[in-house]
Amino acid sequence: WFSLEKGRRMKYCKIGISIISIIVAAICVIMIVRINKAFPNAEENSYTKDNPANIEGVELTPVSYNVYTIEEYSKISPTNNFSMNQNSDNSRIIVMTVRLKNTTEEVVNYTPSFVCVIEEINGSNGVTTVSPLMRHVTLLPGESKEVMYQAYMGPNQLNPRNFDKIDESTVTLVYSFYPYRNRLIFSKG
């Protein structure tokens, strides 16, 4: 009698656990569907040299990019912010040129904020202007200026085995991630 009762209790316990597991799984699925409906994937907007972006009257045209070792960059940049003590073989500097043009009839003050992203090789990092004077740009009506941005890519931002693949990949500056993923796509300069 005791083993029959124990077997029956085990059977009910297994059924109870199965029912609870099914209910929890159903709640998880419902929550995932609700979250995906409330927050769908970001809409992708890509801008190129032939199709520039326009942010509140400032036209942004991705002009070109170049990749340098720290040693190479220190020779061409008098305002080099990177230390020669860093392992030059284990890092790269990507320099991107963006043309900013005021398309309005008013003076525009613009402070760009970008993240350099190289999706194919999983590299990304924030950028700074090469010239500290260009962190904040003032544009007169119809005026154009080219601004150079630099992004450091070290072992924490990009696997060093992928440094040689940067030129084969799509180098972008992303300036908005959600709900629109807006990015400037660069050509090798």
Side-chain angles (χ1 to χ4, degrees):
W1 178 76
F2 183 71
S3 67
L4 254 163
E5 185 66 34
K6 183 178 179 185
R8 197 176 292 152
R9 281 189 291 185
M10 287 297 288
K11 182 178 175 182
Y12 289 131
C13 188
K14 286 181 184 179
I15 291 171
I17 290 173
S18 296
I19 291 171
I20 291 171
S21 297
I22 290 170
I23 291 170
V24 168
I27 290 171
C28 288
V29 168
I30 290 168
M31 293 303 294
I32 289 170
V33 169
R34 282 187 64 200
I35 289 171
N36 285 336
K37 282 185 178 181
F39 303 102
N41 289 337
E43 184 179 317
E44 188 92 17
N45 295 317
S46 298
Y47 302 98
T48 63
K49 190 182 281 190
D50 299 326
N51 177 31
N54 193 313
I55 301 174
E56 298 177 6
V58 177
E59 187 177 271
L60 293 99
T61 305
V63 177
S64 64
Y65 78 94
N66 287 298
V67 181
Y68 303 99
T69 64
I70 289 180
E71 185 177 323
E72 293 168 337
Y73 193 59
S74 67
K75 292 177 184 175
I76 63 169
S77 175
T79 59
N80 179 14
N81 300 345
F82 305 101
S83 168
M84 283 299 289
N85 295 335
Q86 293 169 315
N87 185 348
S88 183
D89 295 333
N90 232 7
S91 55
R92 295 292 183 271
I93 308 299
I94 302 173
V95 177
M96 296 146 287
T97 304
V98 177
R99 184 178 307 111
L100 305 175
K101 181 179 180 183
N102 182 352
T103 60
T104 70
E105 296 299 320
E106 299 176 14
V107 174
V108 173
N109 294 307
Y110 183 67
T111 305
S113 177
F114 299 112
V115 175
C116 179
V117 177
I118 310 169
E119 290 178 11
E120 295 93 339
I121 53 178
N122 297 320
S124 68
N125 201 4
V127 299
T128 59
T129 55
V130 171
S131 168
L133 301 173
M134 297 301 278
R135 287 190 183 130
H136 179 77
V137 182
T138 300
L139 297 166
L140 299 174
E143 183 180 16
S144 258
K145 289 183 182 178
E146 285 195 355
V147 181
M148 295 173 65
Y149 298 95
Q150 59 191 6
Y152 171 82
M153 291 289 174
N156 292 335
Q157 292 79 26
L158 179 63
N159 187 327
R161 291 179 299 195
N162 291 331
F163 287 153
D164 293 335
K165 297 177 185 174
I166 293 173
D167 285 334
E168 302 164 9
S169 304
T170 305
V171 174
T172 65
L173 282 180
V174 179
Y175 62 89
S176 171
F177 283 93
Y178 197 83
Y180 301 100
R181 187 167 189 269
N182 296 319
R183 64 192 190 141
L184 303 174
I185 300 176
F186 286 85
S187 302
K188 182 75 172 139

